[in-house]
Amino acid sequence: MTAQLPPDFTQITRPRELSAELRGQLVDCWVRVINTGGAVIPRGLPMPPVSTGQADPALGRLVGALDPRRARLLVATVGGTLAGWLVLRRDPHPLVAHCGAVNHVMTHPDFRGRGIGTALMGRVRELARQEMGLEQLQIAVRAGLGLEEFYGRLGWHEIGRWPGGLRVAPGDDRDEILMHLAL
């Protein structure tokens, strides 16, 4: 059995830092994750299947909002190949500026089961606390995929649910689960 390489991490904090090559890889990953049942479907994208042409503008909006103080893209690579990514955001309003939100957590389907998601969540925890000065993180996940168990193993706690808040398909409503992590 060959040893698995740990991921390398890169932060993108400004739109100009994202290369065209990495942008293409991020879009491809997002499309593949959505089309294989992933729960990272943002506003503005249709339900699966989605195309690269549909996902690229959504990524553009996400990248356009990057700012070192408010929003960062964390990318995991293995052997130079994109393995996963997520977004860490902070609301600038003084009432909630000590809190961050983790969004768009995804592992490329070719890297599932290799600990990439766990590694991303460990690194974002460090980044949030040490580099952004955040004191707590929030995430919202879709019920029915085992995500609450995954995040629970990493120290996150369920703090509430929006019953039936997500309509995956006609007749398939899922709870949106709100989770919290103290840093």
Side-chain angles (χ1 to χ4, degrees), residues 30-158:
W30 206 348
V31 168
R32 292 196 53 200
V33 167
I34 290 171
N35 290 340
T36 58
V40 288
I41 304 169
R43 287 187 175 96
L45 275 183
M47 296 301 288
V50 298
S51 69
T52 300
Q54 292 168 314
D56 188 69
L59 184 70
R61 288 187 294 278
L62 188 148
V63 170
L66 294 178
D67 176 286
R69 292 162 292 154
R70 291 189 301 275
R72 299 178 182 204
L73 176 66
L74 180 62
V75 177
T77 57
V78 174
T81 302
L82 179 72
W85 60 281
L86 59 75
V87 174
L88 173 61
R89 290 189 175 108
R90 158 193 268 139
D91 188 313
H93 194 286
L95 287 174
V96 293
H98 65 290
C99 303
V102 179
N103 302 115
H104 309 295
V105 180
M106 62 187 90
T107 298
H108 192 287
D110 293 345
F111 286 89
R112 288 192 180 143
R114 298 188 194 180
I116 301 301
T118 298
L120 273 166
M121 295 309 293
R123 181 64 187 112
V124 79
R125 183 181 197 153
E126 293 170 9
L127 166 68
R129 183 179 55 244
Q130 295 171 1
E131 295 184 29
M132 294 180 76
L134 296 171
E135 298 172 20
Q136 56 183 284
L137 294 175
Q138 305 160 358
I139 193 167
V141 301
R142 182 192 311 167
L145 298 174
L147 297 171
E148 61 270 37
E149 289 86 11
F150 169 75
Y151 290 111
R153 288 191 302 270
L154 300 177
W156 291 74
H157 301 281
E158 181 177 330

